[in-house]
Amino acid sequence: QVPLVESGGGSVQAGGSLRLSCVTSGGRYTYAMGWFRQAPGKEREGVARILTNSGNTYYADSVKGRFTISQDNAKNTLYLQMNSLKPEDTAVYYCATTGRGGSGTIRFFGVDFAYWGQGTQVTVSS
């Protein structure tokens, strides 16, 4: 299990931008890393993921063209650049990595994410 710590959340007006960061221990190889979000009264949903080896990225339809996921393996850091933010993007955002896990595992684009950070709040006003 690898500790995950998110940062970069905050409040912004519609059309604005934020960049989220997630720092890991770098203690193990993971097949993929990803960002998920959970709005009040909603289930946690996948936002974007990146394959560690190839760097290939995958996005939920709702954020394609607006969000960019990237990684800096030397810094053990995952990023989510969020542009053209909408009120519908308001949620707690979670960093996640692949690996063996029990309850709480979520499959996103065919990959099981089992380890989670504490979450960071993103609020977008109209």
Side-chain angles (χ1 to χ4, degrees), residues 65-79:
R66 300 188 298 120
F67 291 10
T68 302
I69 188 171
S70 62
Q71 62 189 355
D72 186 336
N73 291 332
K75 296 181 178 180
N76 304 126
T77 303
L78 178 74
Y79 301 98

PDB file of all heavy atoms in Angstrom, residues 65-79:
ATOM      1  N   GLY A  65     -11.092  17.235 -23.278  1.00  0.00           N
ATOM      2  CA  GLY A  65     -10.847  18.539 -23.867  1.00  0.00           C
ATOM      3  C   GLY A  65     -10.658  19.642 -22.858  1.00  0.00           C
ATOM      4  O   GLY A  65     -10.244  20.746 -23.223  1.00  0.00           O
ATOM      5  N   ARG A  66     -10.955  19.371 -21.594  1.00  0.00           N
ATOM      6  CA  ARG A  66     -10.819  20.381 -20.545  1.00  0.00           C
ATOM      7  C   ARG A  66      -9.785  20.007 -19.487  1.00  0.00           C
ATOM      8  O   ARG A  66      -9.090  20.877 -18.961  1.00  0.00           O
ATOM      9  CB  ARG A  66     -12.161  20.617 -19.850  1.00  0.00           C
ATOM     10  CG  ARG A  66     -13.263  21.109 -20.785  1.00  0.00           C
ATOM     11  CD  ARG A  66     -14.511  21.514 -20.012  1.00  0.00           C
ATOM     12  NE  ARG A  66     -15.095  20.384 -19.285  1.00  0.00           N
ATOM     13  CZ  ARG A  66     -15.255  20.342 -17.964  1.00  0.00           C
ATOM     14  NH1 ARG A  66     -14.880  21.371 -17.209  1.00  0.00           N
ATOM     15  NH2 ARG A  66     -15.804  19.274 -17.395  1.00  0.00           N
ATOM     16  N   PHE A  67      -9.682  18.722 -19.172  1.00  0.00           N
ATOM     17  CA  PHE A  67      -8.766  18.248 -18.133  1.00  0.00           C
ATOM     18  C   PHE A  67      -7.604  17.500 -18.770  1.00  0.00           C
ATOM     19  O   PHE A  67      -7.763  16.843 -19.807  1.00  0.00           O
ATOM     20  CB  PHE A  67      -9.469  17.294 -17.165  1.00  0.00           C
ATOM     21  CG  PHE A  67     -10.506  17.924 -16.274  1.00  0.00           C
ATOM     22  CD1 PHE A  67     -10.945  19.230 -16.466  1.00  0.00           C
ATOM     23  CD2 PHE A  67     -11.050  17.192 -15.232  1.00  0.00           C
ATOM     24  CE1 PHE A  67     -11.904  19.797 -15.645  1.00  0.00           C
ATOM     25  CE2 PHE A  67     -12.008  17.743 -14.400  1.00  0.00           C
ATOM     26  CZ  PHE A  67     -12.436  19.042 -14.604  1.00  0.00           C
ATOM     27  N   THR A  68      -6.446  17.569 -18.129  1.00  0.00           N
ATOM     28  CA  THR A  68      -5.270  16.847 -18.582  1.00  0.00           C
ATOM     29  C   THR A  68      -4.609  16.149 -17.398  1.00  0.00           C
ATOM     30  O   THR A  68      -4.257  16.801 -16.416  1.00  0.00           O
ATOM     31  CB  THR A  68      -4.245  17.774 -19.249  1.00  0.00           C
ATOM     32  OG1 THR A  68      -4.851  18.455 -20.355  1.00  0.00           O
ATOM     33  CG2 THR A  68      -3.050  16.971 -19.757  1.00  0.00           C
ATOM     34  N   ILE A  69      -4.432  14.836 -17.496  1.00  0.00           N
ATOM     35  CA  ILE A  69      -3.733  14.080 -16.470  1.00  0.00           C
ATOM     36  C   ILE A  69      -2.292  13.874 -16.909  1.00  0.00           C
ATOM     37  O   ILE A  69      -2.019  13.639 -18.089  1.00  0.00           O
ATOM     38  CB  ILE A  69      -4.427  12.728 -16.186  1.00  0.00           C
ATOM     39  CG1 ILE A  69      -3.803  12.032 -14.976  1.00  0.00           C
ATOM     40  CG2 ILE A  69      -4.403  11.825 -17.415  1.00  0.00           C
ATOM     41  CD1 ILE A  69      -4.584  10.802 -14.511  1.00  0.00           C
ATOM     42  N   SER A  70      -1.369  13.979 -15.982  1.00  0.00           N
ATOM     43  CA  SER A  70       0.040  13.781 -16.287  1.00  0.00           C
ATOM     44  C   SER A  70       0.754  13.259 -15.051  1.00  0.00           C
ATOM     45  O   SER A  70       0.205  13.271 -13.945  1.00  0.00           O
ATOM     46  CB  SER A  70       0.686  15.078 -16.784  1.00  0.00           C
ATOM     47  OG  SER A  70       0.630  16.090 -15.796  1.00  0.00           O
ATOM     48  N   GLN A  71       1.980  12.808 -15.241  1.00  0.00           N
ATOM     49  CA  GLN A  71       2.748  12.280 -14.128  1.00  0.00           C
ATOM     50  C   GLN A  71       4.202  12.671 -14.263  1.00  0.00           C
ATOM     51  O   GLN A  71       4.723  12.818 -15.362  1.00  0.00           O
ATOM     52  CB  GLN A  71       2.607  10.753 -14.051  1.00  0.00           C
ATOM     53  CG  GLN A  71       3.125  10.009 -15.281  1.00  0.00           C
ATOM     54  CD  GLN A  71       2.776   8.536 -15.269  1.00  0.00           C
ATOM     55  OE1 GLN A  71       2.229   8.015 -14.301  1.00  0.00           O
ATOM     56  NE2 GLN A  71       3.088   7.854 -16.356  1.00  0.00           N
ATOM     57  N   ASP A  72       4.853  12.822 -13.117  1.00  0.00           N
ATOM     58  CA  ASP A  72       6.281  13.055 -13.043  1.00  0.00           C
ATOM     59  C   ASP A  72       6.832  11.954 -12.146  1.00  0.00           C
ATOM     60  O   ASP A  72       6.808  12.072 -10.922  1.00  0.00           O
ATOM     61  CB  ASP A  72       6.587  14.436 -12.480  1.00  0.00           C
ATOM     62  CG  ASP A  72       8.069  14.767 -12.523  1.00  0.00           C
ATOM     63  OD1 ASP A  72       8.901  13.846 -12.550  1.00  0.00           O
ATOM     64  OD2 ASP A  72       8.403  15.970 -12.520  1.00  0.00           O
ATOM     65  N   ASN A  73       7.301  10.892 -12.764  1.00  0.00           N
ATOM     66  CA  ASN A  73       7.744   9.737 -11.992  1.00  0.00           C
ATOM     67  C   ASN A  73       8.955  10.043 -11.109  1.00  0.00           C
ATOM     68  O   ASN A  73       9.109   9.453 -10.038  1.00  0.00           O
ATOM     69  CB  ASN A  73       8.045   8.567 -12.927  1.00  0.00           C
ATOM     70  CG  ASN A  73       6.798   8.008 -13.572  1.00  0.00           C
ATOM     71  OD1 ASN A  73       5.702   8.088 -13.018  1.00  0.00           O
ATOM     72  ND2 ASN A  73       6.952   7.436 -14.758  1.00  0.00           N
ATOM     73  N   ALA A  74       9.810  10.947 -11.557  1.00  0.00           N
ATOM     74  CA  ALA A  74      10.973  11.316 -10.757  1.00  0.00           C
ATOM     75  C   ALA A  74      10.560  11.975  -9.448  1.00  0.00           C
ATOM     76  O   ALA A  74      11.266  11.862  -8.441  1.00  0.00           O
ATOM     77  CB  ALA A  74      11.888  12.239 -11.547  1.00  0.00           C
ATOM     78  N   LYS A  75       9.439  12.678  -9.465  1.00  0.00           N
ATOM     79  CA  LYS A  75       8.928  13.346  -8.278  1.00  0.00           C
ATOM     80  C   LYS A  75       7.825  12.561  -7.583  1.00  0.00           C
ATOM     81  O   LYS A  75       7.269  13.033  -6.594  1.00  0.00           O
ATOM     82  CB  LYS A  75       8.403  14.734  -8.632  1.00  0.00           C
ATOM     83  CG  LYS A  75       9.458  15.687  -9.148  1.00  0.00           C
ATOM     84  CD  LYS A  75       8.863  17.057  -9.454  1.00  0.00           C
ATOM     85  CE  LYS A  75       9.923  18.024  -9.936  1.00  0.00           C
ATOM     86  NZ  LYS A  75       9.356  19.361 -10.245  1.00  0.00           N
ATOM     87  N   ASN A  76       7.518  11.388  -8.104  1.00  0.00           N
ATOM     88  CA  ASN A  76       6.453  10.559  -7.544  1.00  0.00           C
ATOM     89  C   ASN A  76       5.145  11.336  -7.422  1.00  0.00           C
ATOM     90  O   ASN A  76       4.450  11.249  -6.404  1.00  0.00           O
ATOM     91  CB  ASN A  76       6.857  10.002  -6.180  1.00  0.00           C
ATOM     92  CG  ASN A  76       8.158   9.230  -6.215  1.00  0.00           C
ATOM     93  OD1 ASN A  76       9.085   9.518  -5.463  1.00  0.00           O
ATOM     94  ND2 ASN A  76       8.234   8.238  -7.091  1.00  0.00           N
ATOM     95  N   THR A  77       4.824  12.083  -8.471  1.00  0.00           N
ATOM     96  CA  THR A  77       3.684  12.985  -8.410  1.00  0.00           C
ATOM     97  C   THR A  77       2.773  12.819  -9.616  1.00  0.00           C
ATOM     98  O   THR A  77       3.242  12.709 -10.751  1.00  0.00           O
ATOM     99  CB  THR A  77       4.142  14.446  -8.317  1.00  0.00           C
ATOM    100  OG1 THR A  77       4.992  14.605  -7.177  1.00  0.00           O
ATOM    101  CG2 THR A  77       2.956  15.380  -8.180  1.00  0.00           C
ATOM    102  N   LEU A  78       1.490  12.811  -9.357  1.00  0.00           N
ATOM    103  CA  LEU A  78       0.444  12.782 -10.366  1.00  0.00           C
ATOM    104  C   LEU A  78      -0.243  14.135 -10.375  1.00  0.00           C
ATOM    105  O   LEU A  78      -0.453  14.734  -9.319  1.00  0.00           O
ATOM    106  CB  LEU A  78      -0.565  11.685 -10.035  1.00  0.00           C
ATOM    107  CG  LEU A  78      -1.761  11.523 -10.966  1.00  0.00           C
ATOM    108  CD1 LEU A  78      -1.326  10.875 -12.277  1.00  0.00           C
ATOM    109  CD2 LEU A  78      -2.852  10.703 -10.284  1.00  0.00           C
ATOM    110  N   TYR A  79      -0.615  14.613 -11.567  1.00  0.00           N
ATOM    111  CA  TYR A  79      -1.263  15.910 -11.698  1.00  0.00           C
ATOM    112  C   TYR A  79      -2.587  15.796 -12.440  1.00  0.00           C
ATOM    113  O   TYR A  79      -2.787  14.898 -13.258  1.00  0.00           O
ATOM    114  CB  TYR A  79      -0.380  16.888 -12.471  1.00  0.00           C
ATOM    115  CG  TYR A  79       0.969  17.135 -11.858  1.00  0.00           C
ATOM    116  CD1 TYR A  79       2.096  16.454 -12.315  1.00  0.00           C
ATOM    117  CD2 TYR A  79       1.128  18.053 -10.829  1.00  0.00           C
ATOM    118  CE1 TYR A  79       3.341  16.686 -11.759  1.00  0.00           C
ATOM    119  CE2 TYR A  79       2.370  18.288 -10.271  1.00  0.00           C
ATOM    120  CZ  TYR A  79       3.468  17.607 -10.734  1.00  0.00           C
ATOM    121  OH  TYR A  79       4.703  17.835 -10.182  1.00  0.00           O
TER     122      TYR A  79
END
